[in-house]
Amino acid sequence: TQLLEQSPQFLSIQEGENLTVYCNSSSVFSSLQWYRQEPGEGPVLLVTVVTGGEVKKLKRLTFQFGDARKDSSLHITAAQPGDTGLYLCAGYSGYSTLTFGKGTMLLVSP
Amino acid sequence: DTAVSQTPKYLVTQMGNDKSIKCEQNLGHDTMYWYKQDSKKFLKIMFSYNNKELIINETVPNRFSPKSPDKAHLNLHINSLELGDSAVYFCASSLGTGLGQPQHFGDGTRLSIL
């Protein structure tokens, strides 16, 4: 079973601060996705990274896939209360099997 | 205009009962999934169907039986409910089984066993 470790598990910051969430594994993933989940809702896809070393930007969010395709990071610049939620990384390794990390709960206070 | 819809949203029932959760997607996707999210928010795949055929069964007890009458629907029936079945169950769909496909999730069914 391939595992994805996310850190930190919980992050509480003030509006305007920057933060980075990490997703690490000892296994190689063919692609990696980041989802955000809000209370009472299902996860919503933010980005998919496929190539080792790839960097993708989505407004204030920057996603990076490690060169060896075993790790990824999500950096948020100038966090806002609307960024509050559970951030999940998930990796594809086999036949449509998506393995999720345990998530990082982000709370951004005004 | 909900893409992936699940019913019911909440399900409270006694241990030992049998219950079903329904899922429908209007995205025209070929692949559908059931996930279980535990109290610590860990999301784990249970089943995956592609064009009504079972392709993934992740060592789920046989009290759980998925059924796909057509590729737009994937229902989950649970027999003899146990306390440990309490969780949020999510249905999801994707265009196909290709690696890297985005998955679209429903809003979940919160199952509470008394």
Side-chain angles (χ1 to χ4, degrees), chain B residues 26-95:
Chain B
N26 62 7
L27 297 167
H29 288 171
D30 288 339
T31 309
M32 295 185 72
Y33 311 83
W34 277 109
Y35 286 88
K36 179 180 180 180
Q37 188 172 46
D38 63 23
S39 58
K40 295 185 178 179
K41 305 294 185 186
F42 183 50
L43 199 58
K44 188 169 166 51
I45 183 75
M46 298 174 69
F47 301 103
S48 174
Y49 271 71
N50 186 56
N51 277 321
K52 304 191 297 176
E53 298 296 322
L54 178 68
I55 56 172
I56 293 172
N57 179 343
E58 286 288 322
T59 59
V60 176
N62 58 16
R63 297 182 296 104
F64 290 79
S65 50
K67 185 168 271 191
S68 183
D70 55 63
K71 72 175 192 177
H73 295 84
L74 180 62
N75 303 322
L76 183 65
H77 187 75
I78 315 170
N79 288 325
S80 303
L81 280 157
E82 300 178 357
L83 289 174
D85 298 331
S86 294
V88 182
Y89 292 84
F90 285 97
C91 177
S93 72
S94 63
L95 192 59

Side-chain angles (χ1 to χ4, degrees), chain A residues 1 3-4 30-31 33 35 37 40-45 48 50 86 88 92-103 105, chain B residues 9 31 33 35 37 40-45 48 50 55-56 58 90 94 96-108:
Chain A
T1 304
L3 295 174
L4 278 168
S30 57
S31 64
Q33 298 179 330
Y35 289 80
Q37 184 179 11
E41 298 182 8
V44 175
L45 180 69
T48 300
V50 178
L86 179 69
L88 297 160
Y92 270 107
S93 54
Y95 188 57
S96 77
T97 301
L98 196 58
T99 300
F100 279 85
K102 293 191 175 181
M105 186 66 221
Chain B
K9 189 166 176 67
T31 309
Y33 311 83
Y35 286 88
Q37 188 172 46
K40 295 185 178 179
K41 305 294 185 186
F42 183 50
L43 199 58
K44 188 169 166 51
I45 183 75
S48 174
N50 186 56
I55 56 172
I56 293 172
E58 286 288 322
F90 285 97
S94 63
T97 56
L99 298 176
Q101 291 279 350
Q103 294 193 11
H104 299 257
F105 286 79
D107 284 340

